[in-house]
Amino acid sequence: MSSYQNLLVETLENNILRIKLNRPQVMNALNKAILEELILAFQTEASQSNIRCVILGGTGKAFCAGQDLAERKAFAEGGERPSLQQSLELRYNPLIKLINELPKPVIGMLNGVAAGAGCSLALACDMRLASRDASLILSFVKMGLGLDSGASYVLPRLIGMGRAFELAILGERISATEAERFGLINRVIDAEQLEIETLKVARQIASGPAQAIGRIKSALNYSQTATLTAALQNEALLQEEAAQGQEYPEGLRAFFSKRLPNFSA
C-alpha cells in the first residue's frame, strides 16, 4: 500500500493497480492536493512495467463530485477571480492525458455519482463499470461554465453530437442504466458485486498480452483524429512491432498446440 493523503493506492494480485479517490466526506471532490496525487500516481505507480491494468474508483458513496467548490468560495463572496485556464492546464489536463496515453487499460469503477469534472474523469477511462446506484451528470452548465477535462472531446465520440449536446446543455443527471443505454457505461452491476466484477474484468485483461493490449489502446486513440489511410498505415506499423515481439509467437504456438496462450511474461 502506497502512502498518499487523498488516495488509496494498492497493487493487487495479477499486477492490477487499484487507485481510489479517498475524500469521502466531500464525495471525493477534486482539489489541488488530490489532483496532484492522481498525477503522481499515474506517472509513477501506473507506469511501472509490471502493472497490467488500472482500476480507478472512489471511496464512500460517490465516485467523484467534481471540482471542490470550497476552493471557489472566496471568489463567490467577492474575492479574487481564479484562473480556471491555469487550473486546467496545470492539473486537470495533464491528468486526462496521462490516463489517455497510459499504454495499459484504465477501468473506471463508478460506485456512485460522477459529476462535473468527476464525470469527465470517468469518461477519460477506457472502460466504465458502474453500480446500479451510480449516476452521471455534466453539471458544468449549472455553474455557468463550459465543458472541461476532456468531456468535449470524449463525449461526442462515445454517443454522437446530438446526445452529447443534450447532456451538456441540459446538465441533467442520468442513471447508470440510462448511461449504459447511451453507450457511456460498459456494464451496470449490482452495488455489492461491483468490486468483485470489476476485478474479474481486470484479471481477464491482466492475463492477456500486455503489449498487444497497449497497441490496441494506442490504435483506437490514434483513429479518433486520423484518416482511414493514416489509420491503416498505423495499424501496419503496430502489427510489425507485434510480429517482432514475443506475444505473437506464443499466440501461434498456443493455437497449434490447442492450449491457452501464456502471456504472463
Side-chain angles (χ1 to χ4, degrees):
M1 181 80 71
S2 298
S3 177
Y4 290 86
Q5 297 298 311
N6 301 284
L7 302 175
L8 298 179
V9 181
E10 185 176 7
T11 301
L12 308 176
E13 74 279 5
N14 304 103
N15 293 317
I16 297 165
L17 181 70
R18 184 175 60 197
I19 301 172
K20 283 191 175 183
L21 284 67
N22 190 34
R23 302 184 74 219
Q25 70 280 10
V26 290
M27 299 177 68
N28 299 317
L30 301 169
N31 61 9
K32 178 181 177 182
I34 194 172
L35 285 164
E36 289 177 349
E37 288 191 359
L38 278 167
I39 289 170
L40 179 62
F42 275 95
Q43 285 177 332
T44 57
E45 319 279 352
S47 297
Q48 292 180 18
S49 60
N50 65 305
I51 296 300
R52 288 176 165 256
C53 183
V54 179
I55 296 172
L56 180 62
T59 60
K61 297 181 178 181
F63 173 72
C64 177
Q67 166 68 39
D68 190 342
L69 296 182
E71 292 189 333
R72 304 287 181 253
K73 187 176 181 181
F75 167 56
E77 294 174 348
E80 183 179 354
R81 187 177 297 272
S83 172
L84 299 189
Q85 179 179 358
Q86 183 181 67
S87 176
L88 289 168
E89 290 178 347
L90 288 179
R91 289 176 284 277
Y92 286 91
N93 294 356
L95 174 60
I96 299 303
K97 288 188 69 177
L98 280 167
I99 294 172
N100 180 263
E101 295 170 3
L102 188 73
K104 51 200 81 176
V106 179
I107 303 174
M109 183 174 64
L110 279 57
N111 57 307
V113 67
C119 184
S120 299
L121 182 60
L123 295 177
C125 297
D126 302 304
M127 294 177 62
R128 284 155 295 283
L129 308 185
S131 160
R132 292 191 193 280
D133 303 328
S135 59
L136 300 177
I137 176 170
L138 288 165
S139 51
F140 299 99
V141 70
K142 305 289 188 182
M143 292 286 109
L145 293 171
L147 299 174
D148 68 33
S149 305
S152 66
Y153 179 88
V154 176
L155 195 64
R157 286 168 169 79
L158 286 175
I159 60 176
M161 186 63 75
R163 186 71 78 182
F165 188 87
E166 176 187 355
L167 294 181
I169 294 300
L170 297 182
E172 295 178 342
R173 184 188 299 262
I174 60 171
S175 68
T177 301
E178 192 172 14
E180 182 184 36
R181 181 166 60 84
F182 289 171
L184 291 172
I185 297 293
N186 294 84
R187 302 181 192 179
V188 176
I189 302 163
D190 291 337
E192 61 273 14
Q193 293 295 312
L194 178 62
E195 189 125 18
I196 294 170
E197 292 301 317
T198 303
L199 282 169
K200 281 184 182 179
V201 173
R203 288 190 196 101
Q204 184 176 349
I205 292 170
S207 67
Q211 298 300 316
I213 289 170
R215 292 188 186 99
I216 289 169
K217 177 174 176 175
S218 174
L220 290 172
N221 286 337
Y222 180 84
S223 74
Q224 297 299 299
T225 55
T227 64
L228 174 59
T229 298
L232 290 170
Q233 291 173 339
N234 186 57
E235 287 177 351
L237 289 171
L238 293 174
Q239 292 294 57
E240 183 60 23
E241 285 183 13
Q244 302 305 316
Q246 298 302 313
E247 293 174 344
Y248 180 49
E250 168 58 17
L252 286 175
R253 287 191 295 267
F255 174 81
F256 290 117
S257 300
K258 294 182 172 56
R259 61 172 174 82
L260 293 175
N262 178 11
F263 294 122
S264 60

